[in-house]
Amino acid sequence: MEGKIMSIAWCPNDKLCVIAVAVNNNVVIINPKVGDKLVISSTDYLLGVDVTAKQSVGTNSFVKWRLATEQEQSKGYRIIIEHPKRVKQVTWHCKGDYFATVMTNAGNKSIMMHQLTKRNSQKPFRRAKGFVQCVLFHPSRPFFFVATQRYIRIYNLMKQELSKKLMSNCKWVSSMAIHPAGDNLIIGSYDSRLSWFDLDLSTKPYQTLRHHKRALRQVAYHRRYPLFASASDDKSVIVCHGAVYNDFLKNPLIVPVKVLHGHATVDDIGVLDCQFHPTQPWIFTSGADGQIFLYT
Protein backbone atom coordinates (compact mmCIF):
# COMPACT_ATOMS: atom_id res chain seq x y z
CA MET A 1 0.00 0.00 0.00
CA GLU A 2 1.50 3.31 -1.10
CA GLY A 3 1.50 6.19 1.36
CA LYS A 4 1.66 6.62 5.12
CA ILE A 5 -0.75 4.38 7.02
CA MET A 6 -2.12 6.23 10.07
CA SER A 7 -4.84 3.91 11.37
CA ILE A 8 -6.27 0.41 10.87
CA ALA A 9 -9.60 -0.83 12.25
CA TRP A 10 -11.26 -4.23 11.87
CA CYS A 11 -15.04 -4.19 11.38
CA PRO A 12 -16.71 -5.64 14.53
CA ASN A 13 -19.53 -7.24 12.52
CA ASP A 14 -18.71 -10.98 12.47
CA LYS A 15 -20.85 -11.39 9.32
CA LEU A 16 -18.40 -9.27 7.34
CA CYS A 17 -14.68 -9.58 6.63
CA VAL A 18 -13.70 -5.91 6.38
CA ILE A 19 -10.74 -3.77 7.39
CA ALA A 20 -10.74 0.03 7.16
CA VAL A 21 -7.32 1.58 6.58
CA ALA A 22 -6.52 5.31 6.78
CA VAL A 23 -3.73 6.08 4.32
CA ASN A 24 -2.88 9.63 3.23
CA ASN A 25 -6.19 11.37 2.34
CA ASN A 26 -8.11 8.14 1.81
CA VAL A 27 -9.92 5.46 3.77
CA VAL A 28 -9.54 2.13 1.99
CA ILE A 29 -12.11 -0.60 2.66
CA ILE A 30 -10.35 -3.96 2.30
CA ASN A 31 -11.55 -7.55 2.23
CA PRO A 32 -8.53 -9.47 3.62
CA LYS A 33 -10.23 -12.80 2.78
CA VAL A 34 -9.54 -14.34 6.17
CA GLY A 35 -11.92 -16.83 7.75
CA ASP A 36 -15.15 -18.42 6.52
CA LYS A 37 -15.55 -18.57 2.72
CA LEU A 38 -19.26 -17.68 2.90
CA VAL A 39 -18.45 -14.55 4.91
CA ILE A 40 -15.75 -13.60 2.42
CA SER A 41 -18.08 -14.02 -0.58
CA SER A 42 -20.98 -12.15 1.07
CA THR A 43 -18.58 -9.32 1.93
CA ASP A 44 -17.46 -9.06 -1.69
CA TYR A 45 -21.10 -9.00 -2.81
CA LEU A 46 -21.95 -6.18 -0.38
CA LEU A 47 -18.90 -4.10 -1.24
CA GLY A 48 -19.19 -4.74 -4.98
CA VAL A 49 -22.49 -2.85 -5.41
CA ASP A 50 -22.14 0.29 -7.53
CA VAL A 51 -21.28 3.16 -5.20
CA THR A 52 -22.87 5.90 -7.28
CA ALA A 53 -26.22 4.10 -7.17
CA LYS A 54 -26.07 3.77 -3.39
CA GLN A 55 -24.98 7.32 -2.57
CA SER A 56 -27.75 9.44 -1.13
CA VAL A 57 -28.52 13.03 -1.98
CA GLY A 58 -27.21 14.20 1.40
CA THR A 59 -23.69 12.94 0.77
CA ASN A 60 -21.14 15.71 1.24
CA SER A 61 -19.38 16.69 -1.96
CA PHE A 62 -15.97 16.96 -0.26
CA VAL A 63 -16.00 13.21 0.56
CA LYS A 64 -16.09 10.95 -2.48
CA TRP A 65 -16.86 7.21 -2.52
CA ARG A 66 -15.64 5.09 -5.42
CA LEU A 67 -15.18 1.43 -6.26
CA ALA A 68 -11.64 0.12 -6.49
CA THR A 69 -10.16 -0.42 -9.95
CA GLU A 70 -9.31 -3.92 -11.16
CA GLN A 71 -5.67 -3.40 -10.24
CA GLU A 72 -6.65 -2.21 -6.75
CA GLN A 73 -9.08 -5.11 -6.31
CA SER A 74 -6.25 -7.56 -6.91
CA LYS A 75 -4.65 -6.15 -3.74
CA GLY A 76 -7.85 -6.67 -1.74
CA TYR A 77 -9.16 -3.11 -2.04
CA ARG A 78 -12.92 -2.83 -2.48
CA ILE A 79 -13.92 0.81 -1.81
CA ILE A 80 -11.87 4.01 -1.55
CA ILE A 81 -13.30 7.01 0.33
CA GLU A 82 -11.43 10.17 -0.68
CA HIS A 83 -11.12 12.97 1.89
CA PRO A 84 -9.88 16.56 1.39
CA LYS A 85 -7.30 16.28 4.22
CA ARG A 86 -5.03 13.61 5.68
CA VAL A 87 -6.98 11.02 7.70
CA LYS A 88 -5.29 10.16 10.99
CA GLN A 89 -7.87 7.85 12.59
CA VAL A 90 -10.68 5.49 11.65
CA THR A 91 -12.93 3.76 14.21
CA TRP A 92 -16.04 1.56 13.91
CA HIS A 93 -19.38 1.57 15.64
CA CYS A 94 -20.05 -1.65 17.55
CA LYS A 95 -22.63 -2.87 14.97
CA GLY A 96 -20.13 -2.56 12.12
CA ASP A 97 -22.10 -0.39 9.68
CA TYR A 98 -21.11 3.12 10.74
CA PHE A 99 -17.53 4.30 11.19
CA ALA A 100 -15.95 7.66 11.95
CA THR A 101 -12.81 9.31 10.62
CA VAL A 102 -10.67 12.16 11.95
CA MET A 103 -8.82 14.51 9.61
CA THR A 104 -5.97 16.86 10.48
CA ASN A 105 -6.39 20.63 10.17
CA ALA A 106 -9.90 20.38 8.72
CA GLY A 107 -11.80 22.67 11.12
CA ASN A 108 -15.45 21.70 11.53
CA LYS A 109 -14.92 18.94 8.94
CA SER A 110 -12.32 17.18 11.13
CA ILE A 111 -14.82 14.48 12.09
CA MET A 112 -16.79 12.62 9.45
CA MET A 113 -19.26 9.77 9.93
CA HIS A 114 -19.76 7.19 7.21
CA GLN A 115 -22.32 4.43 6.61
CA LEU A 116 -20.98 1.44 4.72
CA THR A 117 -24.26 -0.05 3.47
CA LYS A 118 -25.65 3.23 2.13
CA ARG A 119 -22.28 4.70 1.04
CA ASN A 120 -23.18 7.91 2.81
CA SER A 121 -20.98 10.44 4.64
CA GLN A 122 -22.02 13.28 6.88
CA LYS A 123 -20.48 16.01 9.02
CA PRO A 124 -21.84 15.63 12.59
CA PHE A 125 -20.68 18.99 13.97
CA ARG A 126 -21.26 22.50 12.64
CA ARG A 127 -18.48 24.14 14.65
CA ALA A 128 -15.05 22.94 15.68
CA LYS A 129 -14.44 22.92 19.43
CA GLY A 130 -10.70 22.53 19.63
CA PHE A 131 -8.15 20.42 17.80
CA VAL A 132 -9.59 16.89 17.59
CA GLN A 133 -7.15 14.17 18.69
CA CYS A 134 -9.29 11.04 18.46
CA VAL A 135 -12.87 9.78 18.63
CA LEU A 136 -14.65 6.65 19.89
CA PHE A 137 -18.11 5.07 19.83
CA HIS A 138 -19.60 3.74 23.06
CA PRO A 139 -19.71 -0.09 22.97
CA SER A 140 -23.43 -0.35 23.75
CA ARG A 141 -25.10 3.07 24.12
CA PRO A 142 -25.61 5.88 21.58
CA PHE A 143 -22.70 7.96 22.89
CA PHE A 144 -19.83 9.41 20.87
CA PHE A 145 -16.55 10.43 22.54
CA VAL A 146 -14.50 13.30 21.08
CA ALA A 147 -11.07 14.02 22.58
CA THR A 148 -9.55 17.44 21.98
CA GLN A 149 -6.31 18.76 23.43
CA ARG A 150 -7.51 18.97 27.05
CA TYR A 151 -11.13 17.82 27.13
CA ILE A 152 -13.22 14.78 26.26
CA ARG A 153 -16.74 15.60 25.16
CA ILE A 154 -19.43 12.91 25.22
CA TYR A 155 -22.30 13.43 22.77
CA ASN A 156 -25.66 11.66 22.76
CA LEU A 157 -26.23 10.70 19.13
CA MET A 158 -29.94 10.00 19.62
CA LYS A 159 -30.70 13.35 21.27
CA GLN A 160 -27.99 15.15 19.26
CA GLU A 161 -26.70 17.01 22.27
CA LEU A 162 -23.65 17.26 24.53
CA SER A 163 -24.09 14.84 27.41
CA LYS A 164 -20.92 15.36 29.46
CA LYS A 165 -17.56 17.14 29.34
CA LEU A 166 -14.58 15.45 31.00
CA MET A 167 -11.53 17.39 32.19
CA SER A 168 -8.36 15.46 31.44
CA ASN A 169 -6.03 17.38 33.82
CA CYS A 170 -3.24 16.96 31.28
CA LYS A 171 -1.61 19.23 28.71
CA TRP A 172 -2.26 17.26 25.52
CA VAL A 173 -4.44 14.15 25.07
CA SER A 174 -2.95 11.59 22.69
CA SER A 175 -5.28 8.57 22.87
CA MET A 176 -8.24 7.05 24.66
CA ALA A 177 -9.99 3.72 25.13
CA ILE A 178 -13.30 2.75 26.68
CA HIS A 179 -13.93 -0.27 28.89
CA PRO A 180 -16.03 -3.01 27.23
CA ALA A 181 -18.74 -2.44 29.87
CA GLY A 182 -18.87 1.23 28.86
CA ASP A 183 -18.68 2.86 32.29
CA ASN A 184 -14.93 3.56 32.46
CA LEU A 185 -12.54 5.41 30.19
CA ILE A 186 -8.75 5.74 30.04
CA ILE A 187 -6.81 8.44 28.23
CA GLY A 188 -3.12 8.78 27.47
CA SER A 189 -1.32 12.09 27.10
CA TYR A 190 1.90 13.46 25.67
CA ASP A 191 2.93 14.65 29.16
CA SER A 192 3.42 11.03 30.32
CA ARG A 193 0.10 10.57 32.13
CA LEU A 194 -2.59 7.92 32.01
CA SER A 195 -5.93 8.98 33.49
CA TRP A 196 -8.76 6.61 34.46
CA PHE A 197 -12.30 8.05 34.43
CA ASP A 198 -15.28 6.51 36.16
CA LEU A 199 -18.05 8.00 34.01
CA ASP A 200 -20.69 7.48 36.70
CA LEU A 201 -18.54 9.08 39.40
CA SER A 202 -17.10 12.38 38.21
CA THR A 203 -16.00 14.47 35.24
CA LYS A 204 -12.47 14.47 36.67
CA PRO A 205 -10.07 11.50 36.65
CA TYR A 206 -10.63 8.85 39.30
CA GLN A 207 -6.92 8.05 39.22
CA THR A 208 -3.88 9.35 37.32
CA LEU A 209 -0.88 7.09 36.71
CA ARG A 210 2.62 8.41 35.98
CA HIS A 211 4.46 5.17 35.33
CA HIS A 212 5.95 6.23 32.00
CA LYS A 213 8.85 8.64 31.61
CA ARG A 214 7.90 9.97 28.18
CA ALA A 215 4.84 10.61 25.99
CA LEU A 216 2.06 8.01 25.76
CA ARG A 217 1.15 7.06 22.21
CA GLN A 218 -1.67 4.56 22.77
CA VAL A 219 -3.87 3.04 25.47
CA ALA A 220 -6.04 -0.08 25.16
CA TYR A 221 -8.47 -2.27 27.14
CA HIS A 222 -8.79 -6.02 26.80
CA ARG A 223 -12.29 -7.10 25.75
CA ARG A 224 -12.47 -10.17 27.98
CA TYR A 225 -9.86 -9.90 30.74
CA PRO A 226 -9.52 -7.11 33.37
CA LEU A 227 -6.41 -5.72 31.70
CA PHE A 228 -5.39 -2.44 30.12
CA ALA A 229 -2.12 -1.27 28.62
CA SER A 230 -0.25 1.88 27.63
CA ALA A 231 2.48 2.36 25.00
CA SER A 232 5.08 5.10 25.35
CA ASP A 233 8.05 6.77 23.73
CA ASP A 234 10.20 5.43 26.59
CA LYS A 235 10.23 2.11 24.61
CA SER A 236 8.01 0.35 27.14
CA VAL A 237 4.48 -1.02 27.27
CA ILE A 238 2.96 -1.26 30.75
CA VAL A 239 0.17 -3.79 31.32
CA CYS A 240 -2.07 -3.16 34.35
CA HIS A 241 -4.84 -5.07 36.08
CA GLY A 242 -8.00 -2.96 36.12
CA ALA A 243 -10.92 -4.63 37.85
CA VAL A 244 -14.37 -3.06 37.53
CA TYR A 245 -17.14 -4.13 39.93
CA ASN A 246 -20.90 -4.25 39.51
CA ASP A 247 -21.22 -2.90 43.05
CA PHE A 248 -21.33 0.90 42.68
CA LEU A 249 -19.91 1.30 46.19
CA LYS A 250 -16.64 -0.38 45.16
CA ASN A 251 -14.16 1.67 43.18
CA PRO A 252 -12.12 0.15 40.32
CA LEU A 253 -8.96 -1.69 41.39
CA ILE A 254 -5.88 -0.64 39.39
CA VAL A 255 -2.60 -2.54 39.83
CA PRO A 256 0.46 -2.50 37.49
CA VAL A 257 1.29 -6.05 36.36
CA LYS A 258 4.12 -6.09 33.82
CA VAL A 259 6.53 -3.76 32.00
CA LEU A 260 7.28 -4.97 28.45
CA HIS A 261 10.48 -3.98 26.63
CA GLY A 262 11.86 -4.78 23.21
CA HIS A 263 11.38 -1.82 20.87
CA ALA A 264 14.12 0.66 19.96
CA THR A 265 13.79 4.43 19.74
CA VAL A 266 13.89 6.11 16.33
CA ASP A 267 13.97 9.93 16.22
CA ASP A 268 12.91 10.03 19.90
CA ILE A 269 9.78 7.97 19.13
CA GLY A 270 9.31 4.60 20.81
CA VAL A 271 6.22 2.37 20.82
CA LEU A 272 3.49 3.72 18.57
CA ASP A 273 0.61 1.33 19.18
CA CYS A 274 -0.58 -1.56 21.34
CA GLN A 275 -3.64 -3.76 20.92
CA PHE A 276 -4.92 -6.78 22.83
CA HIS A 277 -6.01 -10.01 21.19
CA PRO A 278 -9.84 -10.17 21.26
CA THR A 279 -9.99 -13.48 23.17
CA GLN A 280 -6.49 -14.47 24.36
CA PRO A 281 -4.36 -12.69 27.02
CA TRP A 282 -1.94 -11.56 24.33
CA ILE A 283 -0.86 -8.07 23.30
CA PHE A 284 0.55 -6.80 20.00
CA THR A 285 2.85 -3.78 19.88
CA SER A 286 4.28 -1.77 16.99
CA GLY A 287 7.14 0.69 17.19
CA ALA A 288 8.94 3.40 15.26
CA ASP A 289 11.69 0.82 14.65
CA GLY A 290 9.38 -0.88 12.14
CA GLN A 291 8.79 -4.01 14.20
CA ILE A 292 5.64 -5.68 15.49
CA PHE A 293 5.89 -7.81 18.63
CA LEU A 294 3.50 -10.30 20.19
CA TYR A 295 3.72 -10.78 23.97
CA THR A 296 1.96 -13.77 25.56
Side-chain angles (χ1 to χ4, degrees):
M1 181 174 287
E2 297 180 359
K4 188 176 181 181
I5 297 175
M6 298 297 294
S7 179
I8 300 174
W10 194 287
C11 178
N13 186 351
D14 56 4
K15 296 180 180 179
L16 293 176
C17 183
V18 172
I19 296 177
V21 181
V23 52
N24 292 338
N25 290 23
N26 300 326
V27 173
V28 182
I29 304 299
I30 297 176
N31 182 355
K33 297 187 177 181
V34 177
D36 189 278
K37 292 183 179 180
L38 291 176
V39 174
I40 294 171
S41 60
S42 62
T43 300
D44 272 342
Y45 176 77
L46 173 67
L47 301 181
V49 179
D50 186 16
V51 177
T52 56
K54 280 267 185 176
Q55 278 185 321
S56 67
V57 179
T59 302
N60 289 280
S61 58
F62 50 84
V63 175
K64 181 182 177 183
W65 293 67
R66 69 173 178 86
L67 286 176
T69 62
E70 290 186 7
Q71 184 179 2
E72 291 170 334
Q73 288 189 12
S74 65
K75 301 177 183 178
Y77 303 1
R78 293 297 179 264
I79 296 174
I80 290 90
I81 309 166
E82 299 173 354
H83 293 65
K85 298 284 186 178
R86 180 184 292 272
V87 182
K88 67 176 182 179
Q89 187 205 1
V90 56
T91 182
W92 289 91
H93 185 268
C94 60
K95 293 185 178 180
D97 188 18
Y98 287 91
F99 60 96
T101 56
V102 178
M103 289 181 283
T104 57
N105 302 321
N108 65 343
K109 301 182 183 68
S110 295
I111 303 172
M112 295 295 299
M113 286 192 183
H114 314 273
Q115 188 175 6
L116 186 62
T117 53
K118 293 185 178 181
R119 313 295 202 269
N120 187 31
S121 302
Q122 57 182 331
K123 176 169 63 75
F125 302 107
R126 294 180 181 177
R127 292 180 297 174
K129 294 184 178 180
F131 184 65
V132 179
Q133 298 298 305
C134 52
V135 297
L136 276 179
F137 288 99
H138 192 280
S140 57
R141 303 177 67 185
F143 290 144
F144 187 61
F145 296 76
V146 178
T148 54
Q149 185 173 339
R150 295 196 175 188
Y151 301 99
I152 297 92
R153 292 175 172 86
I154 306 174
Y155 294 93
N156 190 317
L157 297 176
M158 293 291 290
K159 298 181 180 179
Q160 298 185 358
E161 64 182 16
L162 178 65
S163 177
K164 193 176 294 185
K165 183 179 178 181
L166 308 179
M167 290 173 282
S168 65
N169 289 350
C170 63
K171 294 180 180 179
W172 199 300
V173 174
S174 63
S175 53
M176 66 175 170
I178 188 165
H179 191 275
D183 294 329
N184 293 271
L185 180 81
I186 53 174
I187 64 165
S189 69
Y190 290 116
D191 53 340
S192 311
R193 299 184 183 187
L194 185 148
S195 299
W196 178 296
F197 288 88
D198 186 335
L199 300 179
D200 295 326
L201 184 66
S202 173
T203 57
K204 295 182 179 180
Y206 160 70
Q207 191 168 339
T208 300
L209 308 179
R210 296 179 177 87
H211 296 148
H212 289 284
K213 297 178 181 178
R214 301 187 65 183
L216 272 70
R217 294 284 175 176
Q218 184 63 279
V219 292
Y221 275 110
H222 198 290
R223 295 183 188 176
R224 181 173 295 184
Y225 295 96
L227 299 172
F228 67 94
S230 55
S232 171
D233 282 342
D234 62 8
K235 302 182 292 184
S236 70
V237 175
I238 298 180
V239 180
C240 298
H241 174 86
V244 177
Y245 304 99
N246 292 328
D247 187 357
F248 292 107
L249 299 178
K250 293 187 71 174
N251 292 325
L253 177 64
I254 302 171
V255 181
V257 175
K258 188 73 174 178
V259 181
L260 305 174
H261 296 282
H263 288 281
T265 303
V266 178
D267 295 332
D268 293 328
I269 299 176
V271 187
L272 292 172
D273 201 356
C274 64
Q275 294 294 331
F276 283 103
H277 189 278
T279 57
Q280 300 294 330
W282 304 345
I283 187 169
F284 297 85
T285 66
S286 63
D289 54 3
Q291 298 191 72
I292 297 175
F293 292 151
L294 167 62
Y295 297 91
T296 62

